[in-house]
Amino acid sequence: MAEKTPQELLQISYAPPRKDWMDPSVDFEAHRGSWSYPGAAKNLEYLGFPNAREWSPVDDDWKLPENWKEIIYDGLKERLAKYRSLRVFMDSCVRCGACADKCHFFIGSGDPKNMPVLRAELLRSVYRKDFTFAGRILGKLAGARELSSELLKEWYYYFFQCTECRRCSVFCPYGIDTAEVTMIARELLNLVGLNINWIIEPVANCDRTGNHLGIQPHAFFDNIEFLVEEIEETTGLKLDPPINKKGAEVLVVIPSADYFADPGIYTFMGYLMLFEHIGLDYTLTAYASEGGNFGLFTSHDTIKRLNYKMYADAKRLGVKWILGGECGHMWRVVHQYMDTMNGPADFLEVPVSPITGTRFDNAASTKMVHITEFTADLLHHGKLKYDPARNAGVIPTFHDSCNPARAMGLIEEPRYILRRMCQEFHEMPENTIREQTFCCAGGAGLGNDENMEMRMRGGLPRASAVRHVHEKHGVNRLTCVCAIDRATLPPLMEYWVPEVDVSGVHELVGNALIMDGENERATNLRGEPIPGREASDV
């Protein structure tokens, strides 16, 4: 947890700093709690990434390659030629400031270099110097800066203080996507071995074992068996989830946190109960045991490398289509990158619900449906038996996870489910939800403990909106459809709004479902008594 108290963190100054923005110097020692540890050499070596070595941001010497300037220059030149949008983003910003106060990290820290316009300027200034006529001639007068080791350290500090949430892009009148700028800056840093371990280790694990946590197949089986036993204890039903089953109709791909970590495990239990309830012909897989893709925070090539496993296993198992669990950046990767990087998936069919007959034409290209779309469709057609009173005592609001909501428009389906599974539901203020949702401040690889102070600062806008509905409506549950959110929001709530806990949407589905042959339920999936249904009353 952040060492500073909430009262101390609220002492935020928005006064312009005395130091000119062109000065790139960063005192890493003085800012512990606001940066992440570097990628471990063993993980870089495993992945074949460049310049694997042990180093620390507080060191004077970052052990860069001798020709690092040439590597960065050539890398930027290559990407300017490869991605037309990058040059557009570099040239079109007029510094209007529409995005300046939209970033959660700027709101929580007051650091002007966390304004999206100025964060992008850290890269744009080098672009101007080396790739524009005005910058080569006028230098600083044109906003151009020489590439230096100090400037590279500045990049590391600030581009790993961006969660790529894209809130700023919603307000940009020119449509500049600063998240794409951050992604390119991180790719350039990666070329000289400047990465953070909270990204590189999950990438290495996923490449090796199929998931971020490094869970091997036997542990995957064991974890699921444990959760099946928990379901049996709650409902009296013994489920038998199929794993690596060939010929199933649907391949279910989920984030690894949902079968390993609290509170995600309860979301996964909800999935299993739903599939049993409707008799879905599905299979899980120990090979593609991760829907998330930390390549999104590393490089485009890494996105493709990690995402391949889903299509490969769908083909191996002979399924018709893929059903994705509650995962945020999985959904952005699937719908913005997968078809062009790993597809087209012509060997799969356009998803059709075997229960309702609904054809998901929105997934005609990727052949993959989000579980909230699937469940909302089941509810719309009256295919579920459920009792919202089983979620008595839970008063939820909904956090729109950045990638499903802002990037992909998955907005109404989770709300449709929550309003039916719970007796009450309350929205946070309009300018903090849907397309304008505030980030959890722990995505894009920043959800580590050493970065906790910046996480708490960046999470202040989201926490403030939660506190508003807690105080006004008694909200005590913050729901979401993202595994990173389920990992990063609990400490955020504990710090700013300790009266509110966190869960996925399908945990509440599992609580409410009326299963054939089940026992009378006295507890929810967490083992907590259901108000009015205590064991003595059942």
Side-chain angles (χ1 to χ4, degrees):
M1 188 52 59
E3 293 183 4
K4 295 180 181 177
T5 66
Q7 292 70 29
E8 290 173 316
L9 243 57
L10 285 171
Q11 305 307 308
I12 304 167
S13 173
Y14 297 104
R18 295 180 180 179
K19 187 173 71 171
D20 185 84
W21 79 266
M22 286 194 167
D23 180 354
S25 59
V26 176
D27 187 345
F28 282 85
E29 187 64 55
H31 290 89
R32 287 186 180 273
S34 297
W35 47 268
S36 304
Y37 294 154
K42 65 177 183 179
N43 295 321
L44 297 177
E45 289 171 353
Y46 174 81
L47 292 165
F49 285 3
N51 198 23
R53 81 278 185 216
E54 299 298 337
W55 64 284
S56 172
V58 298
D59 296 339
D60 291 331
D61 181 7
W62 282 19
K63 303 177 183 177
L64 298 172
E66 289 187 8
N67 64 332
W68 69 265
K69 285 189 179 183
E70 181 183 350
I71 294 171
I72 296 292
Y73 176 86
D74 289 345
L76 182 54
K77 182 179 180 180
E78 176 189 348
R79 283 154 182 78
L80 286 167
K82 189 175 182 180
Y83 304 116
R84 182 173 57 182
S85 59
L86 177 59
R87 191 176 289 273
V88 171
F89 295 158
M90 291 292 99
D91 289 335
S92 58
C93 179
V94 297
R95 304 179 193 82
C96 68
C99 66
D101 61 345
K102 306 306 186 295
C103 177
H104 47 286
F105 284 123
F106 172 67
I107 294 171
S109 70
D111 187 336
K113 290 186 180 180
N114 273 324
M115 294 179 181
V117 58
L118 191 44
R119 186 188 289 112
E121 203 72 10
L122 305 183
L123 176 61
R124 192 176 284 118
S125 60
V126 172
Y127 162 77
R128 286 200 193 96
K129 177 62 179 174
D130 292 329
F131 296 93
T132 69
F133 178 76
R136 285 194 295 269
I137 300 300
L138 300 176
K140 285 187 176 182
L141 291 176
R145 296 190 300 170
E146 290 277 359
L147 188 60
S148 68
S149 59
E150 286 300 307
L151 190 146
L152 211 61
K153 293 178 180 181
E154 176 191 52
W155 282 10
Y156 181 91
Y157 185 73
Y158 286 104
F159 284 115
F160 286 110
Q161 279 184 25
C162 171
T163 47
E164 303 176 10
C165 80
R166 304 175 74 248
R167 188 172 194 264
C168 52
S169 67
V170 172
F171 298 90
C172 178
Y174 291 89
I176 296 171
D177 190 344
T178 307
E180 294 285 342
V181 176
T182 292
M183 289 171 67
I184 294 298
R186 289 187 178 189
E187 285 197 25
L188 298 176
L189 290 169
N190 189 67
L191 295 176
V192 293
L194 298 180
N195 350 69
I196 66 172
N197 203 54
W198 204 248
I199 294 175
I200 295 302
E201 185 165 329
V203 168
N205 286 340
C206 200
D207 192 67
R208 182 170 53 249
T209 68
N211 59 76
H212 295 154
L213 300 174
I215 297 170
Q216 298 188 30
H218 63 279
F220 177 74
F221 281 77
D222 290 345
N223 285 5
I224 292 176
E225 181 59 31
F226 171 76
L227 297 179
V228 166
E229 292 172 359
E230 291 292 299
I231 293 173
E232 184 177 14
E233 185 174 332
T234 302
T235 67
L237 299 176
K238 179 69 172 179
L239 277 55
D240 185 20
I243 302 173
N244 298 336
K245 172 187 171 183
K246 289 191 174 184
E249 183 166 0
V250 178
L251 172 63
V252 175
V253 179
I254 57 176
S256 55
D258 279 3
Y259 54 84
F260 186 81
D262 183 336
I265 54 174
Y266 307 115
T267 300
F268 183 58
M269 291 161 71
Y271 303 156
L272 296 181
M273 293 172 66
L274 174 67
F275 302 153
E276 178 75 13
H277 184 69
I278 61 176
L280 184 67
D281 179 18
Y282 76 101
T283 184
L284 299 163
T285 168
Y287 172 66
S289 52
E290 175 69 74
N293 190 324
F294 271 40
L296 185 63
F297 318 137
T298 311
S299 71
H300 290 75
D301 289 341
T302 311
I303 296 173
K304 180 177 180 179
R305 177 173 172 176
L306 298 185
N307 200 62
Y308 169 77
K309 64 184 184 299
M310 287 198 288
Y311 274 175
D313 222 34
K315 180 177 285 188
R316 179 181 71 88
L317 295 172
V319 301
K320 293 182 179 179
W321 54 278
I322 306 172
L323 180 62
E326 293 185 15
C327 182
H329 58 292
M330 172 185 78
W331 215 240
R332 183 176 172 198
V333 168
V334 166
H335 281 276
Q336 290 190 337
Y337 297 99
M338 184 160 76
D339 190 41
T340 52
M341 286 185 172
N342 302 108
D346 294 337
F347 62 93
L348 295 173
E349 300 177 8
V350 177
V352 175
S353 172
I355 313 303
T356 67
T358 297
R359 177 184 167 96
F360 293 94
D361 287 315
N362 60 305
S365 178
T366 62
K367 314 298 193 297
M368 190 168 181
V369 172
H370 192 280
I371 195 166
T372 57
E373 296 176 286
F374 183 71
T375 302
D377 177 65
L378 293 170
L379 284 167
H380 178 71
H381 286 90
K383 298 298 183 180
L384 301 183
K385 301 177 193 175
Y386 60 95
D387 179 4
R390 292 181 172 185
N391 281 311
V394 177
I395 306 175
T397 189
F398 182 67
H399 164 71
D400 290 278
S401 303
C402 301
N403 286 309
R406 189 156 35 238
M408 299 316 308
L410 192 72
I411 291 173
E412 297 305 329
E413 291 87 346
R415 291 174 166 84
Y416 186 83
I417 296 169
L418 288 168
R419 288 191 171 100
R420 283 151 183 80
M421 294 297 141
C422 299
Q423 295 172 313
E424 288 187 62
F425 174 77
H426 299 280
E427 292 278 18
M428 289 180 278
E430 279 298 318
N431 64 340
T432 73
I433 58 174
R434 294 185 167 87
E435 291 89 349
Q436 297 186 35
T437 185
F438 274 111
C439 183
C440 69
L446 307 188
N448 51 66
D449 290 345
E450 66 267 22
N451 189 46
M452 190 62 79
E453 180 178 323
M454 189 52 66
R455 284 173 57 188
M456 297 302 105
R457 288 185 179 280
L460 175 60
R462 169 46 72 226
S464 298
V466 174
R467 177 164 291 284
H468 172 77
V469 289
H470 167 69
E471 293 176 347
K472 185 174 182 179
H473 301 294
V475 163
N476 57 16
R477 177 70 59 85
L478 179 59
T479 60
C480 57
V481 290
C482 174
I484 287 181
D485 285 334
R486 287 192 289 280
T488 60
L489 287 172
L492 184 69
M493 292 299 100
E494 183 181 346
Y495 188 77
W496 291 113
V497 199
E499 303 87 354
V500 177
D501 59 19
V502 177
S503 78
V505 168
H506 277 78
E507 174 183 337
L508 301 179
V509 172
N511 284 341
L513 283 177
I514 301 173
M515 309 284 289
D516 291 340
E518 68 177 7
N519 295 335
E520 288 288 339
R521 289 202 227 169
T523 64
N524 59 26
L525 292 178
R526 300 188 180 199
E528 302 166 339
I530 300 172
R533 299 193 180 197
E534 288 76 9
S536 59
D537 299 328
V538 176

